[in-house]
Amino acid sequence: MKKLTAYDVTPESVFNQRRQIIKAVGLGLVASSLPNIGVAASDSKKLAALDFKATSTSDLVLTPESKVTGYNNFYEFGTDKAAPAKFAQNFKTDPWQLEITGEVENPFVLNHTQLFNTFPLEERIYRFRCVEAWAMVVPWIGFELARLIEMARPTHKAKFVVFHTLHDPEQMPGQKNKFFGGGIDYPYVEALTIEEALNSLTLLSVGLYGKMLPPQNGAPIRLVVPWKYGFKSIKSIVKITFSETRPRTTWESLAPDEYGFYANVNPNVDHPRWSQASERVIGGGGLLAVKRQPTLMFNGYEKEVGDLYKGLDLRVNF
Ligand code: MTE
């Protein structure tokens, strides 16, 4: 099978846009005081092309971009899969502030521009598996969370990394109306152990398919943890807190029997209401057919992350 990068599937208009930005940087037209700026200081609605290292290749077949950006879970904008693309269109993601705080020696804040130019961006093609038993393959653009953690210098007390989504009921109809928002107590909170957060697969993503994230996918910055169910990959993050204690995370609080803290993809541990042994391939099988494939342990990343869970009973710690 052909090895793909997002370049193989990025439309020509995006290439041209990217070339223009590179040219503009060369001419010193774009924020010349900030080296390595990969994105025009424009608002995110324009979905500017990103400047990133396109080193990643993969045998995985990419999910069509229209599915990645049109079939979403982002309950702040409604529980229907088509709702986020519809209701998040005017979501304001610039200006933005991401605060790094808690058990760290160097707390700091990144503004919108700094999200894109503080750490070198790279493309990572990952499998993405929702707990609802559907799967995609997404060409993310971002940087390793470990780079940000290094900059924050956690204290010896930092055992967990906690992520918070923006709380803004005026912009997020699901936060205003509990029924529309799926009954969640917002803001949406997720967390990883510090070891999981430092794993080199763990990404903070600012783009996909060569462009800035669209609002429905968690603009301007979201987490991507490819070996865990998608609900761990929290969107539109405004705060990252380093903590000594494990927080109550959103889905675990809502239904602790169904959604665990670890949420590692595991074909052998079923959800109480459905099997996790296989998964539906989004965009696979054509118009009428449904393509299913076997679920992979740790979503296919066992070699990279299996050691993190040595000695842990994955049925109890699901
Ligand atoms: N983050 C926030 N803030 N709110 C959400 O509802 N849904 C999660 C996760 N992150 C969610 C979230 C779930 S259940 C999944 S499967 C993924 O986002 C979906 O990401 P995608 O829409 O980019 O495919």
Side-chain angles (χ1 to χ4, degrees), residues 67-68 71-78 84 128-132 134 136 138 140 165-166 172 184 186 188-189 208 216-218 222-223 229-236 251:
K67 301 280 183 206
V68 176
Y71 186 92
N72 300 100
N73 276 334
F74 198 171
Y75 278 19
E76 284 85 338
F77 294 100
F128 188 76
R129 170 62 154 80
C130 179
V131 73
E132 297 163 340
W134 53 261
M136 297 189 185
V138 182
W140 302 105
T165 293
L166 177 73
M172 295 170 147
I184 287 176
Y186 292 102
Y188 196 104
V189 173
L208 49 79
Q216 62 269 32
N217 290 93
R222 58 97 50 92
L223 187 67
Y229 291 122
F231 67 85
K232 299 295 287 185
S233 293
I234 181 172
K235 296 176 167 181
S236 304
W251 281 99

mmCIF file of all heavy atoms in Angstrom, residues 67-68 71-78 84 128-132 134 136 138 140 165-166 172 184 186 188-189 208 216-218 222-223 229-236 251, ligand 1:
data_model
loop_
_atom_site.group_PDB
_atom_site.id
_atom_site.type_symbol
_atom_site.label_atom_id
_atom_site.label_comp_id
_atom_site.label_asym_id
_atom_site.label_seq_id
_atom_site.Cartn_x
_atom_site.Cartn_y
_atom_site.Cartn_z
ATOM 1 N N LYS A 67 -15.013 13.944 6.604
ATOM 2 C CA LYS A 67 -15.536 13.143 7.729
ATOM 3 C C LYS A 67 -14.878 13.589 9.037
ATOM 4 O O LYS A 67 -15.536 13.689 10.076
ATOM 5 C CB LYS A 67 -15.242 11.653 7.528
ATOM 6 C CG LYS A 67 -15.832 11.071 6.271
ATOM 7 C CD LYS A 67 -17.292 10.756 6.438
ATOM 8 C CE LYS A 67 -17.842 10.097 5.198
ATOM 9 N NZ LYS A 67 -19.266 10.311 5.022
ATOM 10 N N VAL A 68 -13.576 13.837 8.983
ATOM 11 C CA VAL A 68 -12.856 14.247 10.205
ATOM 12 C C VAL A 68 -13.437 15.554 10.742
ATOM 13 O O VAL A 68 -13.537 15.759 11.949
ATOM 14 C CB VAL A 68 -11.341 14.400 9.917
ATOM 15 C CG1 VAL A 68 -10.596 14.925 11.144
ATOM 16 C CG2 VAL A 68 -10.742 13.076 9.468
ATOM 17 N N TYR A 71 -17.962 14.869 11.327
ATOM 18 C CA TYR A 71 -18.541 13.836 12.206
ATOM 19 C C TYR A 71 -17.802 13.957 13.529
ATOM 20 O O TYR A 71 -16.710 13.413 13.701
ATOM 21 C CB TYR A 71 -18.318 12.461 11.558
ATOM 22 C CG TYR A 71 -18.980 11.300 12.257
ATOM 23 C CD1 TYR A 71 -20.260 10.875 11.885
ATOM 24 C CD2 TYR A 71 -18.325 10.597 13.268
ATOM 25 C CE1 TYR A 71 -20.856 9.794 12.519
ATOM 26 C CE2 TYR A 71 -18.916 9.511 13.900
ATOM 27 C CZ TYR A 71 -20.180 9.113 13.515
ATOM 28 O OH TYR A 71 -20.775 8.034 14.138
ATOM 29 N N ASN A 72 -18.357 14.745 14.442
ATOM 30 C CA ASN A 72 -17.592 15.131 15.638
ATOM 31 C C ASN A 72 -18.337 14.896 16.944
ATOM 32 O O ASN A 72 -19.557 14.907 16.977
ATOM 33 C CB ASN A 72 -17.234 16.621 15.577
ATOM 34 C CG ASN A 72 -16.388 16.965 14.368
ATOM 35 O OD1 ASN A 72 -16.884 17.460 13.364
ATOM 36 N ND2 ASN A 72 -15.116 16.672 14.441
ATOM 37 N N ASN A 73 -17.568 14.739 17.997
ATOM 38 C CA ASN A 73 -18.085 14.825 19.360
ATOM 39 C C ASN A 73 -17.492 16.071 20.000
ATOM 40 O O ASN A 73 -16.261 16.158 20.192
ATOM 41 C CB ASN A 73 -17.659 13.600 20.182
ATOM 42 C CG ASN A 73 -18.575 12.418 19.977
ATOM 43 O OD1 ASN A 73 -19.754 12.580 19.643
ATOM 44 N ND2 ASN A 73 -18.052 11.220 20.166
ATOM 45 N N PHE A 74 -18.322 17.025 20.301
ATOM 46 C CA PHE A 74 -17.913 18.245 21.006
ATOM 47 C C PHE A 74 -19.209 18.749 21.631
ATOM 48 O O PHE A 74 -19.907 19.597 21.096
ATOM 49 C CB PHE A 74 -17.316 19.253 20.008
ATOM 50 C CG PHE A 74 -16.484 20.354 20.637
ATOM 51 C CD1 PHE A 74 -15.735 21.209 19.830
ATOM 52 C CD2 PHE A 74 -16.429 20.538 22.020
ATOM 53 C CE1 PHE A 74 -14.943 22.216 20.366
ATOM 54 C CE2 PHE A 74 -15.639 21.543 22.565
ATOM 55 C CZ PHE A 74 -14.902 22.391 21.734
ATOM 56 N N TYR A 75 -19.548 18.125 22.790
ATOM 57 C CA TYR A 75 -20.875 18.291 23.383
ATOM 58 C C TYR A 75 -21.178 19.732 23.782
ATOM 59 O O TYR A 75 -22.335 20.087 23.961
ATOM 60 C CB TYR A 75 -21.026 17.353 24.588
ATOM 61 C CG TYR A 75 -21.393 15.924 24.216
ATOM 62 C CD1 TYR A 75 -21.204 15.429 22.935
ATOM 63 C CD2 TYR A 75 -21.949 15.071 25.171
ATOM 64 C CE1 TYR A 75 -21.549 14.127 22.618
ATOM 65 C CE2 TYR A 75 -22.299 13.768 24.858
ATOM 66 C CZ TYR A 75 -22.099 13.301 23.587
ATOM 67 O OH TYR A 75 -22.446 12.015 23.273
ATOM 68 N N GLU A 76 -20.148 20.564 23.918
ATOM 69 C CA GLU A 76 -20.395 21.973 24.201
ATOM 70 C C GLU A 76 -21.226 22.604 23.078
ATOM 71 O O GLU A 76 -21.856 23.645 23.265
ATOM 72 C CB GLU A 76 -19.070 22.732 24.331
ATOM 73 C CG GLU A 76 -18.325 22.507 25.636
ATOM 74 C CD GLU A 76 -17.427 21.264 25.631
ATOM 75 O OE1 GLU A 76 -17.675 20.348 24.819
ATOM 76 O OE2 GLU A 76 -16.499 21.214 26.452
ATOM 77 N N PHE A 77 -21.187 21.963 21.891
ATOM 78 C CA PHE A 77 -21.941 22.479 20.746
ATOM 79 C C PHE A 77 -23.069 21.535 20.332
ATOM 80 O O PHE A 77 -23.557 21.604 19.205
ATOM 81 C CB PHE A 77 -20.987 22.733 19.564
ATOM 82 C CG PHE A 77 -20.003 23.836 19.857
ATOM 83 C CD1 PHE A 77 -18.703 23.543 20.245
ATOM 84 C CD2 PHE A 77 -20.386 25.166 19.780
ATOM 85 C CE1 PHE A 77 -17.803 24.554 20.553
ATOM 86 C CE2 PHE A 77 -19.496 26.190 20.081
ATOM 87 C CZ PHE A 77 -18.203 25.884 20.466
ATOM 88 N N GLY A 78 -23.457 20.635 21.241
ATOM 89 C CA GLY A 78 -24.563 19.721 20.942
ATOM 90 C C GLY A 78 -24.084 18.294 20.771
ATOM 91 O O GLY A 78 -22.923 18.047 20.439
ATOM 92 N N PRO A 84 -21.465 20.043 16.013
ATOM 93 C CA PRO A 84 -20.291 20.913 16.198
ATOM 94 C C PRO A 84 -19.908 21.684 14.934
ATOM 95 O O PRO A 84 -19.642 22.885 15.005
ATOM 96 C CB PRO A 84 -19.191 19.931 16.619
ATOM 97 C CG PRO A 84 -19.928 18.801 17.261
ATOM 98 C CD PRO A 84 -21.192 18.657 16.461
ATOM 99 N N PHE A 128 -7.414 6.959 15.436
ATOM 100 C CA PHE A 128 -8.210 7.653 16.447
ATOM 101 C C PHE A 128 -9.451 6.810 16.707
ATOM 102 O O PHE A 128 -10.200 6.508 15.784
ATOM 103 C CB PHE A 128 -8.584 9.053 15.920
ATOM 104 C CG PHE A 128 -9.249 9.924 16.944
ATOM 105 C CD1 PHE A 128 -8.505 10.523 17.955
ATOM 106 C CD2 PHE A 128 -10.615 10.164 16.909
ATOM 107 C CE1 PHE A 128 -9.106 11.335 18.909
ATOM 108 C CE2 PHE A 128 -11.227 10.970 17.861
ATOM 109 C CZ PHE A 128 -10.481 11.559 18.858
ATOM 110 N N ARG A 129 -9.659 6.397 17.944
ATOM 111 C CA ARG A 129 -10.712 5.423 18.256
ATOM 112 C C ARG A 129 -11.634 5.979 19.337
ATOM 113 O O ARG A 129 -11.198 6.248 20.458
ATOM 114 C CB ARG A 129 -10.038 4.117 18.708
ATOM 115 C CG ARG A 129 -10.938 3.036 19.295
ATOM 116 C CD ARG A 129 -11.959 2.531 18.307
ATOM 117 N NE ARG A 129 -12.388 1.165 18.600
ATOM 118 C CZ ARG A 129 -13.292 0.819 19.523
ATOM 119 N NH1 ARG A 129 -13.879 1.733 20.258
ATOM 120 N NH2 ARG A 129 -13.615 -0.463 19.697
ATOM 121 N N CYS A 130 -12.896 6.141 18.998
ATOM 122 C CA CYS A 130 -13.879 6.625 19.979
ATOM 123 C C CYS A 130 -14.399 5.440 20.796
ATOM 124 O O CYS A 130 -14.504 4.318 20.299
ATOM 125 C CB CYS A 130 -15.033 7.329 19.275
ATOM 126 S SG CYS A 130 -16.311 7.926 20.411
ATOM 127 N N VAL A 131 -14.766 5.702 22.037
ATOM 128 C CA VAL A 131 -15.334 4.669 22.905
ATOM 129 C C VAL A 131 -16.650 4.134 22.327
ATOM 130 O O VAL A 131 -17.081 3.031 22.646
ATOM 131 C CB VAL A 131 -15.522 5.242 24.339
ATOM 132 C CG1 VAL A 131 -16.678 6.229 24.406
ATOM 133 C CG2 VAL A 131 -15.695 4.130 25.376
ATOM 134 N N GLU A 132 -17.271 4.915 21.418
ATOM 135 C CA GLU A 132 -18.515 4.481 20.776
ATOM 136 C C GLU A 132 -18.268 3.449 19.668
ATOM 137 O O GLU A 132 -19.188 3.115 18.922
ATOM 138 C CB GLU A 132 -19.242 5.691 20.167
ATOM 139 C CG GLU A 132 -19.672 6.723 21.181
ATOM 140 C CD GLU A 132 -19.998 8.085 20.560
ATOM 141 O OE1 GLU A 132 -19.560 8.369 19.425
ATOM 142 O OE2 GLU A 132 -20.664 8.871 21.230
ATOM 143 N N TRP A 134 -16.280 3.600 16.909
ATOM 144 C CA TRP A 134 -15.943 4.022 15.539
ATOM 145 C C TRP A 134 -14.502 4.493 15.491
ATOM 146 O O TRP A 134 -13.935 4.874 16.519
ATOM 147 C CB TRP A 134 -16.903 5.074 14.983
ATOM 148 C CG TRP A 134 -17.144 6.309 15.814
ATOM 149 C CD1 TRP A 134 -18.206 6.548 16.632
ATOM 150 C CD2 TRP A 134 -16.317 7.493 15.897
ATOM 151 N NE1 TRP A 134 -18.088 7.797 17.218
ATOM 152 C CE2 TRP A 134 -16.952 8.392 16.783
ATOM 153 C CE3 TRP A 134 -15.109 7.876 15.310
ATOM 154 C CZ2 TRP A 134 -16.417 9.649 17.111
ATOM 155 C CZ3 TRP A 134 -14.574 9.122 15.629
ATOM 156 C CH2 TRP A 134 -15.231 9.994 16.515
ATOM 157 N N MET A 136 -11.154 6.394 13.086
ATOM 158 C CA MET A 136 -10.665 7.218 11.978
ATOM 159 C C MET A 136 -9.137 7.125 11.953
ATOM 160 O O MET A 136 -8.525 6.605 12.881
ATOM 161 C CB MET A 136 -11.034 8.690 12.188
ATOM 162 C CG MET A 136 -12.508 9.008 12.214
ATOM 163 S SD MET A 136 -12.735 10.804 12.202
ATOM 164 C CE MET A 136 -14.523 10.898 12.392
ATOM 165 N N VAL A 138 -6.215 10.126 11.325
ATOM 166 C CA VAL A 138 -6.173 11.587 11.184
ATOM 167 C C VAL A 138 -4.728 12.082 11.062
ATOM 168 O O VAL A 138 -3.878 11.691 11.871
ATOM 169 C CB VAL A 138 -6.842 12.267 12.406
ATOM 170 C CG1 VAL A 138 -6.859 13.789 12.246
ATOM 171 C CG2 VAL A 138 -8.252 11.733 12.624
ATOM 172 N N TRP A 140 -2.725 14.676 12.147
ATOM 173 C CA TRP A 140 -2.688 15.807 13.077
ATOM 174 C C TRP A 140 -1.438 16.630 12.848
ATOM 175 O O TRP A 140 -0.413 16.105 12.401
ATOM 176 C CB TRP A 140 -2.659 15.313 14.530
ATOM 177 C CG TRP A 140 -3.790 14.445 14.946
ATOM 178 C CD1 TRP A 140 -3.756 13.081 15.127
ATOM 179 C CD2 TRP A 140 -5.137 14.845 15.251
ATOM 180 N NE1 TRP A 140 -4.989 12.630 15.527
ATOM 181 C CE2 TRP A 140 -5.858 13.691 15.607
ATOM 182 C CE3 TRP A 140 -5.792 16.071 15.254
ATOM 183 C CZ2 TRP A 140 -7.207 13.716 15.966
ATOM 184 C CZ3 TRP A 140 -7.135 16.106 15.605
ATOM 185 C CH2 TRP A 140 -7.823 14.946 15.953
ATOM 186 N N THR A 165 -11.197 22.535 29.381
ATOM 187 C CA THR A 165 -11.757 23.216 28.199
ATOM 188 C C THR A 165 -12.315 24.571 28.618
ATOM 189 O O THR A 165 -12.724 24.761 29.771
ATOM 190 C CB THR A 165 -12.874 22.345 27.586
ATOM 191 O OG1 THR A 165 -12.287 21.151 27.063
ATOM 192 C CG2 THR A 165 -13.611 23.050 26.444
ATOM 193 N N LEU A 166 -12.367 25.481 27.673
ATOM 194 C CA LEU A 166 -12.976 26.791 27.911
ATOM 195 C C LEU A 166 -14.393 26.647 28.481
ATOM 196 O O LEU A 166 -15.144 25.768 28.072
ATOM 197 C CB LEU A 166 -13.059 27.550 26.574
ATOM 198 C CG LEU A 166 -13.737 28.914 26.615
ATOM 199 C CD1 LEU A 166 -12.854 29.942 27.300
ATOM 200 C CD2 LEU A 166 -14.082 29.382 25.210
ATOM 201 N N MET A 172 -20.993 28.668 23.886
ATOM 202 C CA MET A 172 -21.169 27.218 23.793
ATOM 203 C C MET A 172 -22.573 26.851 24.271
ATOM 204 O O MET A 172 -22.823 26.760 25.490
ATOM 205 C CB MET A 172 -20.094 26.517 24.624
ATOM 206 C CG MET A 172 -18.690 26.747 24.070
ATOM 207 S SD MET A 172 -17.406 26.173 25.205
ATOM 208 C CE MET A 172 -16.140 25.630 24.076
ATOM 209 N N ILE A 184 -23.654 17.064 30.851
ATOM 210 C CA ILE A 184 -22.309 17.194 31.439
ATOM 211 C C ILE A 184 -22.237 18.427 32.338
ATOM 212 O O ILE A 184 -22.840 19.457 32.044
ATOM 213 C CB ILE A 184 -21.254 17.292 30.299
ATOM 214 C CG1 ILE A 184 -21.082 15.925 29.634
ATOM 215 C CG2 ILE A 184 -19.926 17.827 30.809
ATOM 216 C CD1 ILE A 184 -20.149 15.928 28.433
ATOM 217 N N TYR A 186 -20.107 21.226 33.032
ATOM 218 C CA TYR A 186 -18.954 21.865 32.397
ATOM 219 C C TYR A 186 -18.214 22.752 33.380
ATOM 220 O O TYR A 186 -18.795 23.184 34.360
ATOM 221 C CB TYR A 186 -19.436 22.670 31.176
ATOM 222 C CG TYR A 186 -19.941 21.767 30.078
ATOM 223 C CD1 TYR A 186 -21.306 21.574 29.871
ATOM 224 C CD2 TYR A 186 -19.030 21.083 29.280
ATOM 225 C CE1 TYR A 186 -21.757 20.731 28.863
ATOM 226 C CE2 TYR A 186 -19.483 20.227 28.276
ATOM 227 C CZ TYR A 186 -20.839 20.056 28.081
ATOM 228 O OH TYR A 186 -21.278 19.213 27.096
ATOM 229 N N TYR A 188 -15.507 20.860 30.702
ATOM 230 C CA TYR A 188 -14.983 19.522 30.421
ATOM 231 C C TYR A 188 -13.556 19.448 30.970
ATOM 232 O O TYR A 188 -12.737 20.333 30.728
ATOM 233 C CB TYR A 188 -14.974 19.338 28.911
ATOM 234 C CG TYR A 188 -14.835 17.937 28.366
ATOM 235 C CD1 TYR A 188 -15.948 17.269 27.843
ATOM 236 C CD2 TYR A 188 -13.604 17.298 28.288
ATOM 237 C CE1 TYR A 188 -15.820 16.002 27.278
ATOM 238 C CE2 TYR A 188 -13.468 16.029 27.727
ATOM 239 C CZ TYR A 188 -14.588 15.389 27.230
ATOM 240 O OH TYR A 188 -14.467 14.147 26.661
ATOM 241 N N VAL A 189 -13.282 18.395 31.739
ATOM 242 C CA VAL A 189 -11.954 18.218 32.353
ATOM 243 C C VAL A 189 -11.440 16.820 32.017
ATOM 244 O O VAL A 189 -12.189 15.851 32.076
ATOM 245 C CB VAL A 189 -12.039 18.383 33.895
ATOM 246 C CG1 VAL A 189 -10.712 18.034 34.556
ATOM 247 C CG2 VAL A 189 -12.448 19.804 34.265
ATOM 248 N N LEU A 208 -4.904 20.003 11.560
ATOM 249 C CA LEU A 208 -5.060 18.718 10.884
ATOM 250 C C LEU A 208 -5.145 18.968 9.383
ATOM 251 O O LEU A 208 -5.480 20.063 8.946
ATOM 252 C CB LEU A 208 -6.261 17.928 11.407
ATOM 253 C CG LEU A 208 -7.639 18.565 11.544
ATOM 254 C CD1 LEU A 208 -8.375 18.654 10.226
ATOM 255 C CD2 LEU A 208 -8.469 17.727 12.514
ATOM 256 N N GLN A 216 -14.737 22.901 15.283
ATOM 257 C CA GLN A 216 -15.410 21.662 15.696
ATOM 258 C C GLN A 216 -14.434 20.570 16.126
ATOM 259 O O GLN A 216 -14.806 19.630 16.816
ATOM 260 C CB GLN A 216 -16.347 21.135 14.586
ATOM 261 C CG GLN A 216 -15.685 20.757 13.282
ATOM 262 C CD GLN A 216 -15.635 21.898 12.286
ATOM 263 O OE1 GLN A 216 -15.533 23.055 12.665
ATOM 264 N NE2 GLN A 216 -15.699 21.576 11.000
ATOM 265 N N ASN A 217 -13.170 20.684 15.716
ATOM 266 C CA ASN A 217 -12.168 19.693 16.124
ATOM 267 C C ASN A 217 -11.353 20.146 17.338
ATOM 268 O O ASN A 217 -10.383 19.490 17.715
ATOM 269 C CB ASN A 217 -11.232 19.358 14.966
ATOM 270 C CG ASN A 217 -11.919 18.561 13.873
ATOM 271 O OD1 ASN A 217 -12.429 19.139 12.918
ATOM 272 N ND2 ASN A 217 -12.003 17.248 14.027
ATOM 273 N N GLY A 218 -11.739 21.294 17.949
ATOM 274 C CA GLY A 218 -11.089 21.677 19.198
ATOM 275 C C GLY A 218 -10.102 22.818 19.093
ATOM 276 O O GLY A 218 -9.161 22.903 19.887
ATOM 277 N N ARG A 222 -5.863 21.257 21.149
ATOM 278 C CA ARG A 222 -6.516 20.119 21.800
ATOM 279 C C ARG A 222 -5.479 19.016 22.014
ATOM 280 O O ARG A 222 -4.416 19.014 21.406
ATOM 281 C CB ARG A 222 -7.707 19.626 20.971
ATOM 282 C CG ARG A 222 -7.460 19.186 19.544
ATOM 283 C CD ARG A 222 -7.286 17.710 19.271
ATOM 284 N NE ARG A 222 -8.243 16.786 19.798
ATOM 285 C CZ ARG A 222 -9.337 16.364 19.150
ATOM 286 N NH1 ARG A 222 -9.651 16.847 17.970
ATOM 287 N NH2 ARG A 222 -10.092 15.449 19.692
ATOM 288 N N LEU A 223 -5.862 18.096 22.888
ATOM 289 C CA LEU A 223 -4.994 16.969 23.197
ATOM 290 C C LEU A 223 -5.278 15.825 22.216
ATOM 291 O O LEU A 223 -6.414 15.669 21.767
ATOM 292 C CB LEU A 223 -5.304 16.527 24.632
ATOM 293 C CG LEU A 223 -4.419 15.472 25.266
ATOM 294 C CD1 LEU A 223 -3.006 16.008 25.501
ATOM 295 C CD2 LEU A 223 -5.016 15.014 26.604
ATOM 296 N N TYR A 229 -9.283 5.949 24.348
ATOM 297 C CA TYR A 229 -10.542 6.337 23.732
ATOM 298 C C TYR A 229 -10.598 7.857 23.584
ATOM 299 O O TYR A 229 -10.037 8.610 24.399
ATOM 300 C CB TYR A 229 -11.722 5.814 24.558
ATOM 301 C CG TYR A 229 -11.836 4.305 24.506
ATOM 302 C CD1 TYR A 229 -11.800 3.527 25.660
ATOM 303 C CD2 TYR A 229 -11.955 3.647 23.276
ATOM 304 C CE1 TYR A 229 -11.885 2.143 25.606
ATOM 305 C CE2 TYR A 229 -12.033 2.260 23.205
ATOM 306 C CZ TYR A 229 -11.995 1.517 24.364
ATOM 307 O OH TYR A 229 -12.065 0.144 24.295
ATOM 308 N N GLY A 230 -11.297 8.280 22.516
ATOM 309 C CA GLY A 230 -11.266 9.682 22.096
ATOM 310 C C GLY A 230 -11.684 10.676 23.156
ATOM 311 O O GLY A 230 -11.286 11.847 23.085
ATOM 312 N N PHE A 231 -12.484 10.256 24.156
ATOM 313 C CA PHE A 231 -12.959 11.254 25.122
ATOM 314 C C PHE A 231 -11.816 11.817 25.981
ATOM 315 O O PHE A 231 -11.968 12.863 26.600
ATOM 316 C CB PHE A 231 -14.128 10.738 25.966
ATOM 317 C CG PHE A 231 -13.831 9.610 26.923
ATOM 318 C CD1 PHE A 231 -13.333 9.873 28.187
ATOM 319 C CD2 PHE A 231 -14.097 8.287 26.577
ATOM 320 C CE1 PHE A 231 -13.089 8.842 29.092
ATOM 321 C CE2 PHE A 231 -13.860 7.248 27.462
ATOM 322 C CZ PHE A 231 -13.352 7.518 28.722
ATOM 323 N N LYS A 232 -10.656 11.116 26.003
ATOM 324 C CA LYS A 232 -9.504 11.673 26.716
ATOM 325 C C LYS A 232 -8.888 12.850 25.942
ATOM 326 O O LYS A 232 -8.192 13.674 26.515
ATOM 327 C CB LYS A 232 -8.421 10.600 26.922
ATOM 328 C CG LYS A 232 -8.828 9.396 27.734
ATOM 329 C CD LYS A 232 -9.153 9.692 29.171
ATOM 330 C CE LYS A 232 -7.959 9.994 30.042
ATOM 331 N NZ LYS A 232 -8.363 10.150 31.471
ATOM 332 N N SER A 233 -9.124 12.889 24.628
ATOM 333 C CA SER A 233 -8.495 13.907 23.771
ATOM 334 C C SER A 233 -9.295 15.206 23.818
ATOM 335 O O SER A 233 -10.010 15.580 22.879
ATOM 336 C CB SER A 233 -8.357 13.374 22.339
ATOM 337 O OG SER A 233 -7.428 12.309 22.306
ATOM 338 N N ILE A 234 -9.145 15.912 24.910
ATOM 339 C CA ILE A 234 -9.954 17.090 25.240
ATOM 340 C C ILE A 234 -9.658 18.263 24.285
ATOM 341 O O ILE A 234 -8.517 18.473 23.886
ATOM 342 C CB ILE A 234 -9.710 17.474 26.722
ATOM 343 C CG1 ILE A 234 -10.523 18.680 27.143
ATOM 344 C CG2 ILE A 234 -8.223 17.701 26.996
ATOM 345 C CD1 ILE A 234 -10.452 18.951 28.662
ATOM 346 N N LYS A 235 -10.733 18.990 23.988
ATOM 347 C CA LYS A 235 -10.647 20.065 22.978
ATOM 348 C C LYS A 235 -10.594 21.462 23.598
ATOM 349 O O LYS A 235 -10.996 21.661 24.746
ATOM 350 C CB LYS A 235 -11.884 19.984 22.083
ATOM 351 C CG LYS A 235 -11.954 18.693 21.275
ATOM 352 C CD LYS A 235 -13.231 18.607 20.478
ATOM 353 C CE LYS A 235 -13.127 17.479 19.461
ATOM 354 N NZ LYS A 235 -14.359 17.391 18.648
ATOM 355 N N SER A 236 -10.155 22.417 22.796
ATOM 356 C CA SER A 236 -10.193 23.857 23.128
ATOM 357 C C SER A 236 -9.736 24.107 24.571
ATOM 358 O O SER A 236 -10.490 24.604 25.416
ATOM 359 C CB SER A 236 -11.605 24.405 22.891
ATOM 360 O OG SER A 236 -11.997 24.153 21.558
ATOM 361 N N TRP A 251 -16.150 12.326 31.968
ATOM 362 C CA TRP A 251 -16.959 11.136 31.674
ATOM 363 C C TRP A 251 -16.958 10.147 32.819
ATOM 364 O O TRP A 251 -17.949 9.459 33.067
ATOM 365 C CB TRP A 251 -16.512 10.494 30.352
ATOM 366 C CG TRP A 251 -17.085 11.261 29.208
ATOM 367 C CD1 TRP A 251 -16.462 12.211 28.458
ATOM 368 C CD2 TRP A 251 -18.441 11.201 28.732
ATOM 369 N NE1 TRP A 251 -17.334 12.737 27.547
ATOM 370 C CE2 TRP A 251 -18.550 12.142 27.684
ATOM 371 C CE3 TRP A 251 -19.563 10.452 29.090
ATOM 372 C CZ2 TRP A 251 -19.738 12.349 26.982
ATOM 373 C CZ3 TRP A 251 -20.751 10.651 28.394
ATOM 374 C CH2 TRP A 251 -20.825 11.582 27.357
HETATM 375 N N1 MTE B 1 -13.573 17.727 24.359
HETATM 376 C C1 MTE B 1 -14.541 18.537 24.811
HETATM 377 N N2 MTE B 1 -14.222 19.693 25.398
HETATM 378 N N3 MTE B 1 -15.880 18.220 24.690
HETATM 379 C C2 MTE B 1 -16.262 17.028 24.131
HETATM 380 O O1 MTE B 1 -17.479 16.769 24.059
HETATM 381 N N4 MTE B 1 -15.561 14.918 23.107
HETATM 382 C C3 MTE B 1 -14.519 13.900 23.163
HETATM 383 C C4 MTE B 1 -13.168 14.455 22.683
HETATM 384 N N5 MTE B 1 -12.909 15.741 23.273
HETATM 385 C C5 MTE B 1 -15.258 16.145 23.653
HETATM 386 C C6 MTE B 1 -13.904 16.556 23.771
HETATM 387 C C7 MTE B 1 -14.863 12.702 22.398
HETATM 388 S S1 MTE B 1 -16.059 11.693 23.066
HETATM 389 C C8 MTE B 1 -14.238 12.376 21.234
HETATM 390 S S2 MTE B 1 -14.518 10.894 20.461
HETATM 391 C C9 MTE B 1 -13.317 13.324 20.582
HETATM 392 O O2 MTE B 1 -13.205 14.571 21.272
HETATM 393 C C10 MTE B 1 -13.786 13.592 19.167
HETATM 394 O O3 MTE B 1 -12.843 14.339 18.480
HETATM 395 P P1 MTE B 1 -13.155 14.753 16.969
HETATM 396 O O4 MTE B 1 -14.491 15.392 16.936
HETATM 397 O O5 MTE B 1 -12.032 15.668 16.571
HETATM 398 O O6 MTE B 1 -13.140 13.455 16.185
#
